[in-house]
Amino acid sequence: MTPEDPLLKILACPLDKGPLHLLTPEEVLYNPRLRLRYPILEGIPQLLPSSGEQTSEEEHERLLKRIEPVEAAKGAADAS
């Protein structure tokens, strides 16, 4: 799965139905609102509620720092 994959636009967290963020090279989808990460195994997102792994506060902060620059870049590209 890549950041350009059209599937990412329709994937949602099974718990809050909000968007997920792809994090590579870990190959996980992350929900910062619930601090849950969902693994991607052999290219298939594991989006059962029981598949979500809770992250620690430190891990959450680290992942947010990776998401924010990507979101800012996407916003700038969409505005063009």
Side-chain angles (χ1 to χ4, degrees):
M1 184 167 274
T2 66
E4 296 81 26
D5 194 324
L7 184 62
L8 283 175
K9 293 180 181 178
I10 62 169
L11 289 178
C13 174
L15 297 174
D16 74 357
K17 311 301 186 236
L20 297 167
H21 302 275
L22 176 65
L23 298 173
T24 55
E26 294 99 331
E27 287 293 307
V28 298
L29 292 167
Y30 187 60
N31 177 342
R33 298 167 307 283
L34 299 179
R35 297 183 182 178
L36 291 173
R37 64 178 166 211
Y38 296 92
I40 300 172
L41 304 175
E42 297 180 18
I44 301 170
Q46 306 300 302
L47 294 177
L48 293 173
S50 61
S51 298
E53 302 166 350
Q54 194 70 49
T55 60
S56 66
E57 180 67 30
E58 295 81 24
E59 179 73 359
H60 173 69
E61 293 300 322
R62 184 183 73 80
L63 295 174
L64 278 182
K65 288 177 184 173
R66 292 183 52 203
I67 291 170
E68 289 169 356
V70 172
E71 290 300 309
K74 282 174 60 178
D78 291 344
S80 305

